[in-house]
Amino acid sequence: FTKPEYYNVQLTKADGKAYNIPRTDLPLGPLSISAYLKKFVDVEVKLIDFNAEVNALDAVPFDNFEALCRHFFMQAQDFMPDFVGVSSLFSPSFPNFMDCGRMAKEVWPDSLVVGGGNIPTNSYEQIYRDMGCTFFDALCFGEGEKPMLHLLQADDAEAYLAASDSWI
Ligand code: B12
């Protein structure tokens, strides 16, 4: 992103540097989960779309995605989430998905950090077994609306996660 190749669509930002332009598409999965939850429970939801956010920045003075992620999470520090959900659809985002989960746990250690989308649905063994990941409290398998609702409604979230087939 910060070192675009000649064939990438580029944008020169206010800091004078050329950046790649990430493609922005509505984050349909998180939006769908948010809409579903709001129908059934009184919940406040905040969504950070990183592609839209980096496009909007005037400069991107971060060496890596982890630093960028920490920056946005620290900006949202007045919001103390009970649950943080990280979503990722595309395989090239795998490292970003992991960085995002790691940073969420660092910034909000008391929150339950969960992941969902195509990446964890297909790569949960790699994430937990091969990489020994400890910052994702659970990964959702497949569609997330009902699993998230049941998680929010559970008296004992950890016991629910351990027993449910929708969560790894
Ligand atoms: C629609 C779609 C698009 C749309 C845009 C999608 C969007 N708004 O972001 C368009 C046409 C733009 C598109 C483009 C591309 N796509 Co596309 N696309 C899809 C498709 C068909 C559906 C995705 C979708 O929106 N589903 C509907 C939403 C509601 O579901 P969802 O996102 O999966 O979320 C649910 C669950 O995953 C889960 N969930 C998701 N996040 C979270 C988070 C938490 C915390 C929890 C608990 C649960 C959870 O719950 C959600 C609700 O049920 C998928 C195939 C598929 N069936 O998944 C391919 C797919 C994602 N696309 C793919 C590809 C390759 C591309 C392109 C690279 C194609 C290209 N060569 O240009 C581009 C890249 C776009 C980009 N931004 O970089 C591949 C990705 C493969 C891979 N391994 O990376 C897929 C898997 C298709 C395939 N089998 O090849 N795509």
Side-chain angles (χ1 to χ4, degrees):
F1 168 69
T2 55
K3 299 182 186 74
E5 300 287 350
Y6 69 91
Y7 51 77
N8 290 136
V9 185
Q10 300 183 15
L11 173 75
T12 303
K13 287 186 180 278
D15 62 357
K17 289 189 201 158
Y19 293 91
N20 191 0
I21 304 179
R23 288 159 68 168
T24 53
D25 295 304
L26 291 176
L28 296 177
L31 288 173
S32 169
I33 295 172
S34 172
Y36 187 80
L37 293 178
K38 286 171 184 162
K39 197 170 168 181
F40 295 101
V41 286
D42 182 18
V43 60
E44 190 186 346
V45 180
K46 288 205 175 180
L47 197 154
I48 302 174
D49 179 342
F50 283 95
N51 283 356
E53 295 291 352
V54 293
N55 277 343
L57 289 174
D58 286 336
V60 188
F62 308 106
D63 291 336
N64 49 50
F65 185 74
E66 208 178 75
L68 180 129
C69 218
R70 188 186 288 112
H71 167 78
F72 281 112
F73 288 169
M74 296 302 281
Q75 274 191 347
Q77 267 296 12
D78 55 327
F79 186 67
M80 293 303 290
D82 298 309
F83 301 89
V84 181
V86 183
S87 171
S88 200
L89 276 192
F90 301 100
S91 298
S93 315
F94 188 96
N96 307 106
F97 175 75
M98 298 301 284
D99 285 349
C100 217
R102 194 181 306 106
M103 284 302 102
K105 206 49 164 184
E106 183 187 300
V107 175
W108 296 295
D110 297 329
S111 303
L112 218 120
V113 177
V114 298
N118 289 337
I119 288 179
T121 294
N122 289 294
S123 304
Y124 57 88
E125 284 186 309
Q126 187 185 350
I127 292 171
Y128 281 137
R129 189 186 58 199
D130 303 346
M131 302 173 81
C133 169
T134 53
F135 43 85
F136 277 118
D137 293 298
L139 297 172
C140 181
F141 188 83
E143 294 180 5
E145 289 87 349
K146 289 185 178 178
M148 276 306 290
L149 177 64
H150 297 155
L151 177 61
L152 266 63
Q153 289 174 330
D155 292 330
D156 181 342
E158 304 215 354
Y160 162 69
L161 286 174
S164 167
D165 285 344
S166 299
W167 293 97
I168 302 142

